[in-house]
Amino acid sequence: YGGLGLDFSYNIAVAEELGRIRCGGIPMAIGVQAGMATPALTRFGSHELKKQFLVPTIAGDYVACLGVSEPGAGSDVANIKTTAVRKGDEYVINGGKMWITSGSQADWMCLLANTSEGPPHRNKSLICLPMNLPGIHVAKKIDKLGMRSSDTAQIFFEDVRVPCKNLIGEEGQGFTYQMLQFQEERLWGVAIALTPMETIIQETIDYTRQRKVFGQPVLHNQTVHFRLAELATEVELLRSLLHRAVGLYVEGNDVTKFASMAKLKAGRLTREVTDSCLQFWGGMGFTSEVLVSRFYRDMRLMSIGGGTDETMLSIICKYMEILPRN
């Protein structure tokens, strides 16, 4: 369908390299295309759907977005309220989506919606939704703390009609498909965080080496160079966990637990690295002129987007069989 036919480890190699871009929004937008909105279509979509949506998306002619989160259902995917009711050979869609990356410019959405009244994990389906259909309203572009070069939209659906043939895979399997899609999304998110953290640490070393306080470089303070060594060690440990998870995933294993662990650690470590390094920049770190302050804002999303830290902990506990049951 226009790709190179390579395994998922190459996606991760690309993601690590995209981390060299000096902002978070561009790698995130590319990540939505490559690792969030398209894996389910690639894995379960019909040949016709792939020709219509996947081919131009791979080519870069189409922008894709992922329609999962809602005002009352972010990390709690099972609680979404958007409905797609079958009428003849069409689905009629009503509801809304929130926090949709690339939503104001997308050509199509991989939409998760309730297609029946059944149990919450078995009543959802994924649908390829062209964004130029009547009844789709992009309400506003959301003003955000970070990732400011990436558009994030609130979108409403009012009696939007889409052909039933736009269903990805089987009806009622959408939640399962989305959980598989999340594995790739979370691994990609970890990968694009690694290089920025290395960059921030190195730029902080360079700055503290030439910045003097009380007659000596800031870097010569043991609390500074020890802390930077600790952070560099943590980044390498995270890279090892990521590569282990990717290796297992490429072999066909369920890596939900390891992907969740890596995502949890990445969210916390990006906050730790950017906060600690910004402190060593002093007053300059509190300006918009330096990269560390930009990544301090951009990378805060790691602990929220794609599943919060708390959701990752719940998933890990579930796989450890220590999560209390109702």
CSV table of all heavy atoms in Angstrom, one decimal, residues 72-99:
chain,number,residue,atom,x,y,z
A,72,GLY,N,-15.9,13.6,28.6
A,72,GLY,CA,-16.0,12.8,29.7
A,72,GLY,C,-15.4,11.4,29.6
A,72,GLY,O,-15.6,10.6,30.5
A,73,ALA,N,-14.5,11.3,28.6
A,73,ALA,CA,-13.8,10.0,28.4
A,73,ALA,C,-12.5,10.2,27.7
A,73,ALA,O,-12.5,10.2,26.5
A,73,ALA,CB,-14.7,9.0,27.6
A,74,GLY,N,-11.4,10.4,28.5
A,74,GLY,CA,-10.1,10.5,27.9
A,74,GLY,C,-9.4,9.2,28.0
A,74,GLY,O,-9.5,8.4,27.1
A,75,SER,N,-8.7,9.0,29.1
A,75,SER,CA,-8.1,7.7,29.3
A,75,SER,C,-9.1,6.6,29.5
A,75,SER,O,-8.8,5.4,29.3
A,75,SER,CB,-7.2,7.7,30.5
A,75,SER,OG,-6.1,8.7,30.3
A,76,ASP,N,-10.3,6.9,30.0
A,76,ASP,CA,-11.4,5.9,30.2
A,76,ASP,C,-12.1,5.7,28.9
A,76,ASP,O,-13.2,6.2,28.7
A,76,ASP,CB,-12.3,6.4,31.3
A,76,ASP,CG,-13.5,5.5,31.6
A,76,ASP,OD1,-13.4,4.3,31.2
A,76,ASP,OD2,-14.4,5.9,32.3
A,77,VAL,N,-11.5,4.9,28.0
A,77,VAL,CA,-12.0,4.7,26.6
A,77,VAL,C,-13.4,4.0,26.6
A,77,VAL,O,-14.2,4.4,25.8
A,77,VAL,CB,-11.0,3.9,25.8
A,77,VAL,CG1,-11.5,3.6,24.4
A,77,VAL,CG2,-9.7,4.7,25.7
A,78,ALA,N,-13.6,3.1,27.6
A,78,ALA,CA,-14.9,2.4,27.6
A,78,ALA,C,-16.1,3.3,27.8
A,78,ALA,O,-17.2,2.9,27.5
A,78,ALA,CB,-14.8,1.3,28.7
A,79,ASN,N,-15.8,4.5,28.3
A,79,ASN,CA,-16.9,5.4,28.7
A,79,ASN,C,-17.4,6.4,27.6
A,79,ASN,O,-18.1,7.3,27.8
A,79,ASN,CB,-16.6,6.2,29.9
A,79,ASN,CG,-17.8,6.8,30.6
A,79,ASN,OD1,-18.8,6.2,30.7
A,79,ASN,ND2,-17.6,8.0,31.2
A,80,ILE,N,-16.8,6.2,26.4
A,80,ILE,CA,-17.2,7.2,25.3
A,80,ILE,C,-18.7,7.1,25.0
A,80,ILE,O,-19.4,6.1,25.2
A,80,ILE,CB,-16.4,6.9,24.0
A,80,ILE,CG1,-16.8,5.5,23.4
A,80,ILE,CG2,-14.9,7.1,24.2
A,80,ILE,CD1,-16.3,5.4,21.9
A,81,LYS,N,-19.3,8.2,24.6
A,81,LYS,CA,-20.7,8.4,24.4
A,81,LYS,C,-21.1,8.5,22.9
A,81,LYS,O,-22.3,8.4,22.5
A,81,LYS,CB,-21.3,9.6,25.1
A,81,LYS,CG,-21.0,9.6,26.6
A,81,LYS,CD,-21.5,8.3,27.3
A,81,LYS,CE,-21.3,8.4,28.8
A,81,LYS,NZ,-21.6,7.1,29.5
A,82,THR,N,-20.2,8.8,22.0
A,82,THR,CA,-20.5,9.0,20.6
A,82,THR,C,-21.1,7.7,20.0
A,82,THR,O,-20.6,6.7,20.2
A,82,THR,CB,-19.2,9.4,19.8
A,82,THR,OG1,-18.7,10.7,20.3
A,82,THR,CG2,-19.5,9.6,18.3
A,83,THR,N,-22.2,7.9,19.2
A,83,THR,CA,-22.9,6.7,18.7
A,83,THR,C,-22.8,6.7,17.2
A,83,THR,O,-22.8,7.8,16.5
A,83,THR,CB,-24.4,6.7,19.1
A,83,THR,OG1,-25.0,8.0,18.7
A,83,THR,CG2,-24.5,6.6,20.6
A,84,ALA,N,-22.8,5.5,16.6
A,84,ALA,CA,-22.9,5.3,15.2
A,84,ALA,C,-24.0,4.3,15.0
A,84,ALA,O,-23.8,3.1,15.2
A,84,ALA,CB,-21.6,4.9,14.6
A,85,VAL,N,-25.2,4.8,14.6
A,85,VAL,CA,-26.4,3.9,14.5
A,85,VAL,C,-26.6,3.4,13.1
A,85,VAL,O,-26.6,4.3,12.2
A,85,VAL,CB,-27.7,4.6,15.0
A,85,VAL,CG1,-28.9,3.7,14.9
A,85,VAL,CG2,-27.5,5.0,16.5
A,86,ARG,N,-26.7,2.2,12.8
A,86,ARG,CA,-26.8,1.6,11.5
A,86,ARG,C,-28.2,1.9,11.0
A,86,ARG,O,-29.2,1.5,11.6
A,86,ARG,CB,-26.5,0.1,11.4
A,86,ARG,CG,-26.5,-0.5,10.0
A,86,ARG,CD,-26.3,-2.0,10.1
A,86,ARG,NE,-25.0,-2.4,10.4
A,86,ARG,CZ,-24.1,-2.7,9.5
A,86,ARG,NH1,-24.4,-2.7,8.2
A,86,ARG,NH2,-22.9,-3.1,9.9
A,87,LYS,N,-28.3,2.5,9.8
A,87,LYS,CA,-29.6,2.8,9.1
A,87,LYS,C,-29.4,2.4,7.6
A,87,LYS,O,-28.8,3.2,6.9
A,87,LYS,CB,-30.1,4.2,9.3
A,87,LYS,CG,-30.5,4.5,10.7
A,87,LYS,CD,-31.1,5.9,10.9
A,87,LYS,CE,-31.6,6.1,12.3
A,87,LYS,NZ,-32.2,7.5,12.5
A,88,GLY,N,-29.9,1.3,7.2
A,88,GLY,CA,-29.7,0.8,5.9
A,88,GLY,C,-28.2,0.5,5.7
A,88,GLY,O,-27.6,-0.3,6.4
A,89,ASP,N,-27.6,1.1,4.7
A,89,ASP,CA,-26.2,0.8,4.4
A,89,ASP,C,-25.3,1.9,4.9
A,89,ASP,O,-24.2,2.1,4.4
A,89,ASP,CB,-26.0,0.6,2.9
A,89,ASP,CG,-26.4,1.7,2.0
A,89,ASP,OD1,-27.0,2.7,2.6
A,89,ASP,OD2,-26.2,1.7,0.8
A,90,GLU,N,-25.8,2.7,5.9
A,90,GLU,CA,-25.1,3.8,6.4
A,90,GLU,C,-25.1,3.8,7.9
A,90,GLU,O,-26.0,3.2,8.6
A,90,GLU,CB,-25.6,5.2,6.0
A,90,GLU,CG,-25.5,5.5,4.5
A,90,GLU,CD,-26.1,6.8,4.1
A,90,GLU,OE1,-27.2,7.2,4.7
A,90,GLU,OE2,-25.5,7.6,3.4
A,91,TYR,N,-24.0,4.4,8.5
A,91,TYR,CA,-24.1,4.7,10.0
A,91,TYR,C,-24.4,6.2,10.1
A,91,TYR,O,-23.9,7.0,9.4
A,91,TYR,CB,-22.7,4.5,10.6
A,91,TYR,CG,-22.3,3.0,10.8
A,91,TYR,CD1,-21.3,2.5,10.0
A,91,TYR,CD2,-22.9,2.3,11.8
A,91,TYR,CE1,-20.9,1.1,10.2
A,91,TYR,CE2,-22.6,0.9,12.0
A,91,TYR,CZ,-21.6,0.4,11.2
A,91,TYR,OH,-21.2,-0.9,11.4
A,92,VAL,N,-25.3,6.5,11.1
A,92,VAL,CA,-25.6,7.9,11.4
A,92,VAL,C,-24.9,8.2,12.8
A,92,VAL,O,-25.2,7.6,13.8
A,92,VAL,CB,-27.1,8.1,11.5
A,92,VAL,CG1,-27.4,9.6,11.9
A,92,VAL,CG2,-27.8,7.7,10.2
A,93,ILE,N,-24.0,9.2,12.7
A,93,ILE,CA,-23.1,9.4,13.8
A,93,ILE,C,-23.5,10.7,14.6
A,93,ILE,O,-23.7,11.8,13.9
A,93,ILE,CB,-21.6,9.6,13.4
A,93,ILE,CG1,-21.2,8.3,12.7
A,93,ILE,CG2,-20.7,9.9,14.5
A,93,ILE,CD1,-19.9,8.4,11.9
A,94,ASN,N,-23.6,10.6,15.9
A,94,ASN,CA,-23.9,11.8,16.7
A,94,ASN,C,-23.0,11.7,18.0
A,94,ASN,O,-22.7,10.7,18.5
A,94,ASN,CB,-25.4,11.8,17.2
A,94,ASN,CG,-26.3,12.2,16.1
A,94,ASN,OD1,-26.4,13.4,15.8
A,94,ASN,ND2,-26.9,11.2,15.4
A,95,GLY,N,-22.6,12.9,18.4
A,95,GLY,CA,-21.7,13.0,19.6
A,95,GLY,C,-20.6,14.0,19.4
A,95,GLY,O,-20.8,15.0,18.7
A,96,GLY,N,-19.5,13.8,20.0
A,96,GLY,CA,-18.4,14.7,19.9
A,96,GLY,C,-17.1,14.1,20.4
A,96,GLY,O,-17.0,13.2,21.1
A,97,LYS,N,-16.0,14.7,19.9
A,97,LYS,CA,-14.6,14.3,20.3
A,97,LYS,C,-13.8,15.5,20.8
A,97,LYS,O,-14.1,16.7,20.4
A,97,LYS,CB,-13.9,13.6,19.2
A,97,LYS,CG,-14.6,12.3,18.7
A,97,LYS,CD,-14.5,11.2,19.8
A,97,LYS,CE,-15.2,10.0,19.4
A,97,LYS,NZ,-15.1,8.9,20.5
A,98,MET,N,-12.9,15.3,21.7
A,98,MET,CA,-12.1,16.4,22.3
A,98,MET,C,-10.6,16.0,22.3
A,98,MET,O,-10.3,14.8,22.3
A,98,MET,CB,-12.6,16.5,23.8
A,98,MET,CG,-12.0,17.8,24.5
A,98,MET,SD,-12.7,19.3,23.9
A,98,MET,CE,-12.2,20.4,25.1
A,99,TRP,N,-9.8,17.0,22.3
A,99,TRP,CA,-8.3,16.9,22.3
A,99,TRP,C,-7.8,16.1,21.1
A,99,TRP,O,-6.9,15.3,21.2
A,99,TRP,CB,-7.8,16.1,23.6
A,99,TRP,CG,-8.5,16.5,24.8
A,99,TRP,CD1,-9.3,15.6,25.6
A,99,TRP,CD2,-8.6,17.7,25.5
A,99,TRP,NE1,-9.8,16.3,26.7
A,99,TRP,CE2,-9.3,17.6,26.7
A,99,TRP,CE3,-8.0,19.0,25.2
A,99,TRP,CZ2,-9.6,18.7,27.5
A,99,TRP,CZ3,-8.2,20.0,26.1
A,99,TRP,CH2,-9.0,19.9,27.2
